[in-house]
Amino acid sequence: MEASGSGGRMNMRYLGIVATIAVCLAVSATAQAVTVDLVTVGNPGNAPDTRTGSGSLGYGSVGYNYSIGKYEVTAGQYTAFLNAVAATDTYGLYNPLMTNYDYGSFQLGCQIQRNGSPASYTYSVGDSWANRPVNFVSWGDAARFTNWLTNGQPTGAQGLSTTEDGSYYLNGAVTDAALQAVTREADALYVIPTENEWYKAAYYNPATSTYNLYATSNNTTAPGRSLADADGHNANYNSAGHPIDGTNFFTVVGEFQNSDSPYGTFDQSGNVREWMENMFIRGGSFDNTSGSLRSTYHGAVNLPTYEIDNLGFRVALVPEPVTMAGLVLGIGGLATYVRKRRTT
């Protein structure tokens, strides 16, 4: 999806410092604020991948610096989001299968629990699941999460100042047709990554100006699956001895040692597949084979209401033109500005 919409917010393009400011702002916005660990993806204007294959040829070129989540969005982060905006869950951000979806003796939901009744719902997740990826989230859920981050993590009903505007103007969109018509706003901040943004962060090696086959900084053999291996190049996917973390199919985000991409992201190969802004899905998961982890593998586009156990997402933070006048406003001025959203 291309950026569209009218820009109504101060120009805030950053190189590295503004990403830090945005995270600090999020931390100060609410008592239970979500901290998003970001890595900077530089080397603007890099060439696209030239390897043949439907999943790789032509992907990866991005003309600007941006940041992307170091980890997939976790069940703990999503629980904080639900507690902020889903006391009455108007647009179905919670899926009961997050709690009640088992495969034999294995739990395949991310174990977010909901208690109470409409207007007073509360949500919780156990410590053993809080740092594993959220699942059973649709594209629409991911877009509403990014809107909430962009708006400074407010607390309140699901509306234009919380979930329905920000980086994507949703305004109650819940059907496939309505969500497919949504595009990134020109003044977006936190977003679902485009395929190029996601692909570059996963596979591009700026030291060699080439692309890796796997998002573990490796270009040759399939990853291992060892949580104890400090040598790196490991991932959570389906092979012999599955699952690999006791009875948990999902591993804690970033748990594989020295298995990050050249830019420092974890689990872009394996754990859960991830939504792209254009509604394609990439990355492979705990129940996919190693072939789906490859940069050359390209999954099908999915309907934006699609939710399943092996699908989650990560966020990116995209730039707007920065001015020194904008930076000297400081955290207080930035906080006031980010909270200004469309009200009509």
Side-chain angles (χ1 to χ4, degrees), residues 94-118:
Y94 176 76
N95 186 330
L97 293 177
M98 291 175 174
T99 305
N100 301 311
Y101 188 71
D102 300 332
Y103 178 70
S105 61
F106 299 109
Q107 297 171 327
L108 291 179
C110 61
Q111 299 306 295
I112 298 176
Q113 312 281 332
R114 180 164 74 180
N115 296 293
S117 56

Side-chain angles (χ1 to χ4, degrees), residues 166-299:
S167 293
Y168 305 96
Y169 186 62
L170 299 168
N171 197 25
V174 292
T175 66
D176 288 322
L179 290 168
Q180 286 167 335
V182 173
T183 58
R184 181 185 293 186
E185 296 186 49
D187 59 353
L189 291 178
Y190 287 96
V191 295
I192 304 168
T194 66
E195 276 202 90
N196 284 327
E197 290 164 350
W198 191 96
Y199 191 95
K200 179 178 179 178
Y203 303 118
Y204 186 67
N205 184 347
T208 59
S209 299
T210 59
Y211 289 85
N212 291 320
L213 192 58
Y214 300 99
T216 56
S217 299
N218 186 282
N219 197 36
T220 54
T221 59
R225 301 169 62 247
S226 173
L227 291 168
D229 180 12
D231 290 335
H233 186 43
N234 289 284
N236 182 13
Y237 62 96
N238 192 350
S239 187
H242 184 60
I244 60 176
D245 188 13
T247 60
N248 291 314
F249 280 101
F250 310 96
T251 47
V252 171
V253 296
E255 190 171 7
F256 290 101
Q257 303 173 68
N258 297 312
S259 297
D260 50 334
S261 73
Y263 287 111
T265 64
F266 285 86
D267 300 310
Q268 286 192 268
S269 285
N271 218 7
V272 291
R273 300 179 297 161
E274 299 180 23
W275 281 110
M276 307 291 103
E277 192 177 62
N278 63 357
M279 299 171 193
F280 276 85
I281 291 170
R282 279 193 181 263
S285 76
F286 69 90
D287 69 347
N288 298 128
T289 62
S290 62
S292 66
L293 312 184
R294 294 169 174 248
S295 55
T296 53
Y297 180 82
H298 196 225

